[in-house]
Amino acid sequence: MKKLLITIILLTLCSVHAQTDEKETLKQLNQKVIASYRNQKFDEALKLAQQAVDSSLRIYGAEQPETAETYRNLGVMYQETKKYKQSTENLQKAVNIYQKMFDSKYEELVLAYQILAYSQFLDNKKEESEANYLKAVEASENKFGKESKESFLATLNLANIYARLKNFEKANEFYLKSYALAIKKFGRESNEFEQVEDSRSCLVSAPRTNSESERVFNEARKKILGENDEQGSRILNGKAKSLPLTPYPFEAKSRRISGMVSVRVKIDEQGNVIEARTVCGHPILGRASEQAARGAKFAPTLKDGKPVKTSGIIVYNFVR
């Protein structure tokens, strides 16, 4: 009897030890997925992510957050390899698991909603995509509060997706909400405010609604920001003392690449551009635009009579 009891204990310990080893192996496998993803080895990451799902199902079962994480990772890898149907299937599985444990896994749920919505957008499932972006906003507001950073980011993502769907009226509605959140929670000089400015400038650069709707938007924006007309516009093309022309890159011409580019510039106290980065537009056109923007010259911006640093957007248009 004593020998039997010892045998049972040893078998139990071996089982626990084996399960611990399996969990550690799964953890390492997930790390390999992330490493391959960061190195842009997406096919390799996809295979590893599928292995991680299989392992997690065996170790934890189908309804646990560890398995949801592996489904989410697999969905992202399918997204990167442009297999959007498989991506949405796996991301939906992750969402379903997180929904059942919302109180403890709300951050993961909000993220999963947004990744799923983006895959649906790429798969041209516009209504489903919109619905899940809205769910991400609702979940963020319910759990983190309407003025939280999480809610701000979810709202801005929704505005951006409406812009890409060319629903400019809805895009403007959520850009204004994003402006209001950024000003109230983070302030005029915050990175969050700059994020909204950058995102909205891409809509300004795109073929969009008529000038009247743009006027209405700008009026609403000024009310939120409390700025006068001169301060309100962050598109700087008309304010430059000199604005170098941008040569049309040969590579872009030969590949028939055209369109508009928004470049965010930072300007020093003397009116010189000290930093330029592309906010939206084709990368080839963006590089040429950045180079031109660095040569722009502005009158010093004054605050309380003293010159200060400032920033804004320069828009370039490349027409074949």
Side-chain angles (χ1 to χ4, degrees):
M1 183 68 180
K2 185 177 180 181
K3 287 184 177 180
L4 178 60
L5 182 60
I6 291 172
T7 301
I8 292 172
I9 292 171
L10 288 173
L11 288 172
T12 302
L13 289 172
C14 287
S15 176
V16 171
H17 182 69
Q19 193 174 47
T20 302
D21 285 347
E22 282 189 318
K23 289 179 180 179
E24 183 60 31
T25 300
L26 176 59
K27 182 179 177 181
Q28 293 173 2
L29 191 55
N30 282 329
Q31 290 171 348
K32 288 180 181 179
V33 172
I34 294 170
S36 296
Y37 173 78
R38 287 175 176 168
N39 290 324
Q40 298 188 345
K41 297 178 179 179
F42 300 126
D43 289 330
E44 177 183 300
L46 179 60
K47 292 177 182 177
L48 292 169
Q50 183 61 68
Q51 292 175 28
V53 169
D54 296 340
S55 296
S56 189
L57 285 169
R58 185 178 65 255
I59 298 167
Y60 295 104
E63 300 296 326
Q64 297 303 312
E66 292 83 0
T67 301
E69 180 185 355
T70 61
Y71 277 133
R72 186 191 66 202
N73 289 344
L74 182 58
V76 170
M77 301 315 145
Y78 273 126
Q79 186 183 102
E80 290 292 349
T81 52
K82 296 181 171 55
K83 297 174 182 177
Y84 303 126
K85 181 180 179 181
Q86 295 94 323
S87 175
T88 55
E89 287 174 354
N90 283 280
L91 290 166
Q92 187 63 64
K93 290 177 182 178
V95 165
N96 292 344
I97 296 171
Y98 287 138
Q99 282 176 329
K100 294 175 183 177
M101 48 189 68
F102 176 70
D103 287 337
S104 61
K105 293 294 176 183
Y106 44 85
E107 292 181 68
E108 290 86 347
L109 176 60
V110 171
L111 178 61
Y113 272 140
Q114 294 186 79
I115 301 173
L116 171 60
Y118 187 57
S119 267
Q120 290 169 329
F121 169 77
L122 294 172
D123 199 25
N124 206 32
K125 295 180 178 178
K126 297 178 181 179
E127 291 183 3
E128 293 94 329
S129 176
E130 178 186 357
N132 279 309
Y133 273 114
L134 284 166
K135 287 178 182 177
V137 173
E138 182 182 8
S140 295
E141 290 179 346
N142 287 342
K143 201 64 188 181
F144 300 105
K146 291 186 177 182
E147 296 180 6
S148 65
K149 183 166 185 176
E150 291 81 2
S151 295
F152 162 76
L153 291 172
T155 301
L156 182 56
N157 283 337
L158 182 57
N160 289 335
I161 208 68
Y162 275 129
R164 294 186 69 173
L165 291 170
K166 294 183 170 54
N167 187 339
F168 301 122
E169 183 177 347
K170 295 295 288 185
N172 281 338
E173 175 188 338
F174 283 92
Y175 279 129
L176 289 171
K177 285 186 68 175
S178 299
Y179 271 121
L181 283 168
I183 285 293
K184 187 172 184 179
K185 182 70 176 179
F186 308 106
R188 178 68 176 77
E189 302 302 321
S190 65
N191 290 332
E192 287 77 12
F193 182 85
E194 191 171 290
Q195 280 182 272
V196 186
E197 290 276 83
D198 289 350
S199 296
R200 185 53 177 51
S201 75
C202 296
L203 182 57
V204 172
S205 301
R208 62 192 192 288
T209 52
N210 57 42
S211 57
E212 175 60 19
S213 66
E214 194 66 12
R215 184 192 66 78
V216 171
F217 174 86
N218 285 329
E219 288 298 320
R221 178 184 179 278
K222 289 172 193 172
K223 288 181 181 179
I224 292 171
L225 304 185
E227 297 177 333
N228 59 38
D229 289 348
E230 184 64 22
Q231 293 171 320
S233 175
R234 305 310 298 166
I235 305 299
L236 302 178
N237 292 59
K239 298 181 179 181
K241 292 172 64 177
S242 64
L243 189 62
L245 295 175
T246 314
Y248 208 131
F250 175 78
E251 183 182 359
K253 273 189 176 181
S254 63
R255 292 171 56 183
R256 302 180 66 80
I257 297 170
S258 61
M260 301 186 81
V261 177
S262 293
V263 178
R264 171 163 288 279
V265 293
K266 293 188 177 180
I267 304 165
D268 67 14
E269 293 87 344
Q270 288 74 46
N272 300 310
V273 174
I274 54 176
E275 185 179 321
R277 63 176 175 83
T278 300
V279 172
C280 58
H282 195 282
I284 295 175
L285 302 178
R287 288 192 289 271
S289 300
E290 288 173 7
Q291 185 174 354
R294 291 188 184 98
K297 180 71 177 177
F298 297 86
T301 298
L302 302 179
K303 185 175 182 179
D304 298 327
K306 296 180 180 180
V308 294
K309 292 180 180 179
T310 188
S311 66
I313 300 289
I314 300 176
V315 178
Y316 295 93
N317 190 17
F318 294 84
V319 181
R320 290 200 306 267

